[in-house]
Every structure is written in structure tokens, then in C-alpha cells.
């Protein structure tokens, strides 16, 4: 460690040599600084007010100098001070830089490692089925619409030709919102039991011709079991134009089923009842698992269609002229058909799923099979 020598005289040569020695020593000590504590003792050794080297040369060299040498020694001491301060600051900076560098190298990215892949999500089988069926109708020129899940009694029932207190309302176990008793019945709010109210909303907004499909969520007061869910999905369809006949209904749905399930699919229509269609029908299609035979191979019976060869899929019919009255269409000028199908039913048949609840549990082991 450097100690301040006594000056033999104050000649420029002596001062030069002493300054040179001092600065060289300071630089050597600075180069040896490796840690924070090294730095602190280095700094104190040179710059501490009490007995640091700078203080020592101030006292030992400058103050002790004879009057006529003071100017010269003072200038020299100032130069030394600056040099020492710079060297000390340099050591501090070097230390900070190397700390930053080592923290960077310890967290450095190894570009040769395989990347972190985020698992990709996949469409839920219900949504996928819904989109696939909607796409079939889009290809036939249908547009896609939607409507509110909280509906009024008017849209969900009355305008669809379910008169107040009509027993047909009982077939749809409706969930009503609380606190609606004060309102007139038609304004009372409920969770829509089907997507059919969007037929009315569409026709109110749009003059014929109308060709639209409406996928959406519906709600019924049904206990959850293997084939029922209080919340499920439907796709509604509506086509209104001049000269639309039951043949158009059959042709459209037959074509849709063939393009969805395969060209060997056949359809069957049986009479049914819905308040908003007349005549009404249930459409079934030949079972796409057994091809309509009810049998798998020679003897095994087909579970999917319960050996009947047919799968009942949707309700449909010609729009009841009364419905046109609610939306300001002229039943003498226009005619049309409508249909509604359950998406879960469709997906269950398609993927051979025997419990509707599997769709809602969010179990990845089930869902990833559709990814
Ligand atoms: N809305 C009916 C239901 O949920 C299904 C339905 C039947 C819709 C016939 C229609 C139709 O558009 O024409 O049970």
C-alpha cells in the first residue's frame, strides 16, 4: 500500500517524480479492486477526509511547502487530486458495469434451447358442430343472425302464436326473471327457451326475402341428466319469400343434411305440431352410423339410432300465417319455412357421445379429443 513520502525538496523534478509515483500507485490499487468492500477501502485509503492520501499530501506537501514554492506545489496537488478522484470514480464505474454484465450473463437466453410452446386451445365440440352446420347454410346464401338470451314473453311466445295460457307453453319449462309480476304479461322477461324469437326480431327489422340462420344459447327449467341440460344450443332457420313451398323446405333440409352428414343420407318428414308453423313436421335422417339399416355388421344392433335406422333431428314447418300478422308481412304475398335443431343432439350423434353433461364439465381429457 502506498504511503506518502516526505519531499526532499520542492524542485519541479522532485514534484514530478513524486506525483508520478503517487498516481501510478493509485492506478495499481484501483486495478486490484474486485468487490464493493475492496472499493470502499480503496476509496477511503485515498480520499478519506481524515488521513486519506489526499489529506496527507495537502498537509505534508502543500502546507509544509515554503512560501515561494506554494503556488507551484498547490497546482501540482490539485492535479493529483483530480487524477485520484478520477481513478476512484473509474473503479466504482468498472465495478457497477461488471455487476450488470454478470447479471445479464446469468439470465442469458440460450437460443439453441427448444422454445416454450403455449398449448393451443381448440374449438369446443358444440361450437364446432354449430359452426359447421351454420357453414352449410351460409353456402346456400343464408345470412347469420343473433338475438338476446333474455327475452320478453311477447317474443318468446306470443308473437310465435303461443297465446297466453295456451298449453303449448307448458312444453317449454320456462325460467322467468324475478320481480316481473307488475308488468303486463307480454313484457315480462324470461330466459329464451328457443331461438325462434329471433325469427320475429329478424322479420321486424327486414322486409322479405329473408334467409337466415340463428345459432344461440337457450334455457329451460330442465334438471340436468344424460340427455338434458338447463342451458343448451339451437340453430334456428328461417326462409321467407314469394312462392316458398313445403318442397323448398324439404329440398333445403335434405341438401343441408347430405352436405353435413354425407351424400348417402336420406331424410324423412313426419307430421308434428308447433304453434308457429302450419303444417309442422319432425325431420329425421337415416342413421349415419348404420346407414339406416339399424344394424352394425351382420348381427350387432346400432346403438346410435336404437336399431330404428333413423335419427330425429329437428322441428320444422311452413311459417304460420298468424306469425306474419305480428311482423307486418302480408301472408297473401309471402310464404316461408322455418326449422330449429338442437346443437348438442347433433354433436352427440356426430361424435357418438352418450352423456350431454360431458360438454359442460370442461374436462380436458374429454375436450382434447376434439383438438
Ligand atoms: N323452437 C322449437 C323448439 O325449441 C324448434 C322449432 C320447431 C323451430 C319448428 C322452428 C320450427 O323454427 O319451425 O322446440
Amino acid at each position: 500500500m502506498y504511503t506518502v513520502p516526505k519531499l526532499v525538496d520542492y524542485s519541479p523534478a522532485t514534484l514530478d517524480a513524486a506525483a508520478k509515483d503517487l498516481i501510478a500507485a493509485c492506478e495499481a490499487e484501483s486495478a486490484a479492486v474486485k468487490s464493493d468492500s475492496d472499493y470502499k477501502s480503496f476509496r477511503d485509503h485515498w480520499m478519506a477526509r481524515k488521513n486519506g492520501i489526499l489529506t496527507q499530501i495537502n498537509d505534508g506537501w502543500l502546507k509544509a511547502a515554503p512560501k515561494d514554492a506554494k503556488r507551484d506545489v498547490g497546482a501540482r496537488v490539485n492535479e493529483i487530486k483530480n487524477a485520484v478522484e478520477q481513478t476512484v470514480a473509474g473503479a466504482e464505474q468498472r465495478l457497477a458495469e461488471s455487476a450488470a454484465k454478470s447479471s445479464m450473463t446469468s439470465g442469458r437466453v440460450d437460443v439453441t434451447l427448444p422454445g416454450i410452446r403455449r398449448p393451443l386451445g381448440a374449438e369446443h365440440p358444440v361450437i364446432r358442430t354449430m359452426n359447421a352446420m351454420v357453414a352449410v347454410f351460409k353456402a346456400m346464401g343464408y345470412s347469420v343472425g343473433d338475438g338476446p338470451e333474455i327475452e320478453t314473453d311477447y317474443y318468446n311466445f306470443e308473437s310465435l302464436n303461443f297465446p297466453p295460457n295456451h298449453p303449448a307453453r307448458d312444453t317449454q319449462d320456462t325460467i322467468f326473471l324475478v320481480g316481473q309480476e307488475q308488468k303486463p304479461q307480454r313484457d315480462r322477461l324470461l330466459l329464451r327457451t328457443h331461438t325462434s324469437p329471433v325469427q320475429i326480431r329478424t322479420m321486424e327489422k327486414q322486409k322479405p326475402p329473408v334467409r337466415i340462420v340463428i345459432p344461440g344459447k337457450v334455457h329451460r327449467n330442465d334438471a340436468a341428466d344424460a340427455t338434458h341440460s338447463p342451458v343448451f344450443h339451437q340453430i334456428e332457420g328461417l326462409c321467407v319469400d314469394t312462392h316458398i313451398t313445403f318442397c323448398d323446405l324439404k329440398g333445403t333440409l335434405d341438401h343441408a343434411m347430405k352436405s353435413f352428414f354425407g351424400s348417402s343420407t336420406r331424410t324423412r318428414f313426419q307430421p308434428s305440431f308447433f304453434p308457429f308453423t302450419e303444417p309442422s313436421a319432425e325431420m329425421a335422417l337415416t342413421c349415419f352410423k348404420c346407414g339406416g339399416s339399424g344394424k352394425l355388421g351382420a348381427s350387432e344392433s346400432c346403438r346410435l339410432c336404437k336399431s330404428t335406422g333413423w335419427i330425429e333431428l329437428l322441428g320444422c314447418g311452413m311459417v304460420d300465417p298468424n306469425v306474419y300478422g305480428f311482423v307486418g308481412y302480408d301472408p297473401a304475398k309471402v310464404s316461408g319455412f322455418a326449422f330449429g335443431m338442437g346443437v348438442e343432439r347433433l354433436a352427440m350423434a356426430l361424435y357418438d357421445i352418450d352423456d350431454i353433461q360431458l360438454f359442460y364439465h370442461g374436462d380436458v381429457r374429454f375436450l382434447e379429443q376434439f383438438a
Side-chain angles (χ1 to χ4, degrees), residues 146-190:
D146 62 7
E149 277 175 53
I150 296 177
E151 263 300 5
T152 59
D153 186 283
Y154 175 77
Y155 282 110
N156 197 77
F157 290 124
E158 194 178 332
S159 61
L160 287 162
N161 206 28
F162 292 78
N165 304 318
H166 192 280
R169 288 172 174 241
D170 293 346
T171 63
Q172 305 198 350
D173 289 326
T174 313
I175 297 172
F176 291 88
L177 273 69
V178 292
Q180 305 287 306
E181 298 78 3
Q182 309 305 327
K183 293 185 180 170
Q185 183 173 15
R186 53 161 47 194
D187 295 337
R188 289 184 198 165
L189 297 174
L190 47 82

Side-chain angles (χ1 to χ4, degrees), residues 122-138:
E123 239 171 5
H124 190 280
V126 169
I127 300 301
R128 180 199 283 195
T129 306
M130 190 157 90
N131 290 342
M133 185 57 87
V134 165
V136 165
F137 285 93
K138 268 193 190 167

Side-chain angles (χ1 to χ4, degrees), residues 160 162 171-172 193-197 199 218 220 232 234-238 249 272-282 314-319 337-342:
L160 287 162
F162 292 78
T171 63
Q172 305 198 350
T193 58
H194 51 178
T195 40
S196 303
Q199 288 189 27
V218 301
R220 292 192 194 178
F232 61 104
Q234 289 189 331
I235 298 172
E236 191 78 17
L238 176 69
L249 161 60
S272 184
F273 172 79
F274 299 101
F276 42 93
T277 45
E278 182 60 32
S280 305
E282 299 271 359
L314 56 80
C316 56
M318 301 306 291
V319 177
F337 62 82
F339 57 90
M341 65 184 104

Side-chain angles (χ1 to χ4, degrees), residues 182-224:
Q182 309 305 327
K183 293 185 180 170
Q185 183 173 15
R186 53 161 47 194
D187 295 337
R188 289 184 198 165
L189 297 174
L190 47 82
L191 298 182
R192 69 178 179 192
T193 58
H194 51 178
T195 40
S196 303
V198 193
Q199 288 189 27
I200 305 297
R201 291 183 174 274
T202 305
M203 289 189 281
E204 279 180 345
K205 277 196 295 222
Q206 186 184 333
K207 288 194 164 62
V210 172
R211 281 175 183 78
I212 192 167
V213 281
I214 302 127
K217 212 183 275 170
V218 301
H219 305 254
R220 292 192 194 178
N221 184 26
D222 282 336

Side-chain angles (χ1 to χ4, degrees), residues 235-251:
I235 298 172
E236 191 78 17
L238 176 69
C239 165
V240 182
D241 204 338
T242 49
H243 309 299
I244 299 288
T245 69
F246 203 89
C247 284
D248 297 307
L249 161 60
K250 287 183 77 171

